[in-house]
Amino acid sequence: MWTGAASLEVVKQGITIGLSANMPPTDTAMYYGNRIIVKVNRNDIAVSDFLDFETYDLTFGQFTINQGANDYIVGMCPWSQDEFLIFQRNSIYVGRVVNTNYEIGEGAADTSYLQTVTTSFGATSRRGIINTGRLVFFFSDAGIFALEPQLDLKLINTVEPISSPIDDIITNIREDLANKIVGVYFDNRICQ
């Protein structure tokens, strides 16, 4: 854990259940809204206490997404209005962790939520999710898609992938290497 000093501090795992657990081991995490949001396992995310990144409430601060489906969390990305996107392999969700008192150590409020954006497609790779201001581009099995907010800040997705003109190239990508896809947005273009 980096505490702002010149070196890193090793924090032991210690407590792994309950209201004051330590940070769960993870391969995907995001700092958002003065909390750290981590992928706990294939269907669960956990959020740290407010401005207390060593404490996780794994009783009330852990959220299960689409349990029982043949799907798993690929990555996350910031959105707007204190919301963030959670990409699974075959679906996308929007989440919000609400604070009531904005006090250090405060857990997630009961008005926090997860909502479905789509169950038609998801992201292939966490490194292939690119936030470019108002748009979020991501690589999917069906091509490259873009999520875009509307006036009420609800998400809409393009019905057709923006990569349709190069669909013949996308279909030649080997599926066993698709999880290594990385994209870069530069000069009004997505580059791979």
Side-chain angles (χ1 to χ4, degrees):
M1 172 186 235
W2 183 64
T3 59
S7 62
L8 296 176
E9 173 186 338
V10 176
V11 178
K12 292 185 178 181
Q13 181 61 33
I15 305 167
T16 58
I17 59 173
L19 299 173
S20 58
N22 299 123
M23 181 178 195
T26 185
D27 63 351
T28 303
M30 172 180 67
Y31 177 75
Y32 193 67
N34 292 318
R35 296 177 183 271
I36 295 181
I37 302 166
V38 298
K39 171 186 165 185
V40 178
N41 56 42
R42 65 179 284 130
N43 295 316
D44 296 331
I45 61 168
V47 296
S48 71
D49 285 355
F50 190 72
L51 290 173
D52 181 4
F53 312 125
E54 293 182 41
T55 307
Y56 289 75
D57 178 353
L58 297 182
T59 303
F60 299 108
Q62 182 167 312
F63 302 91
T64 301
I65 303 161
N66 205 12
Q67 185 174 14
N70 187 21
D71 212 351
Y72 56 92
I73 297 171
V74 173
M76 298 174 281
C77 127
W79 186 237
S80 65
Q81 300 291 316
D82 296 328
E83 293 180 333
F84 56 95
L85 298 172
I86 304 155
F87 288 86
Q88 287 193 313
R89 188 75 165 96
N90 300 309
S91 51
I92 304 169
Y93 296 85
V94 63
R96 183 168 188 225
V97 179
V98 178
N99 305 309
T100 52
N101 298 322
Y102 295 95
E103 295 176 356
I104 293 176
E106 176 188 15
D110 59 356
T111 52
S112 300
Y113 59 82
L114 295 174
Q115 294 175 340
T116 305
V117 174
T118 183
T119 56
S120 299
F121 50 83
T124 306
S125 164
R126 84 180 131 122
R127 294 177 298 183
I129 302 167
I130 305 151
N131 189 335
T132 62
R134 69 180 187 89
L135 295 174
V136 175
F137 295 99
F138 61 96
F139 293 96
S140 177
D141 288 325
I144 302 170
F145 283 87
L147 294 176
E148 170 177 27
Q150 295 302 296
L151 292 175
D152 59 359
L153 292 179
K154 299 293 183 196
L155 285 171
I156 66 159
N157 57 298
T158 54
V159 177
E160 185 174 304
I162 60 173
S163 61
S164 290
I166 58 167
D167 188 51
D168 56 331
I169 296 169
I170 300 250
T171 54
N172 288 328
I173 295 173
R174 289 180 33 198
E175 281 191 36
D176 60 325
L177 299 176
N179 66 337
K180 297 181 181 4
I181 289 176
V182 177
V184 176
Y185 180 79
F186 177 72
D187 197 23
N188 225 10
R189 291 178 173 81
I190 289 186
C191 307
Q192 182 178 344

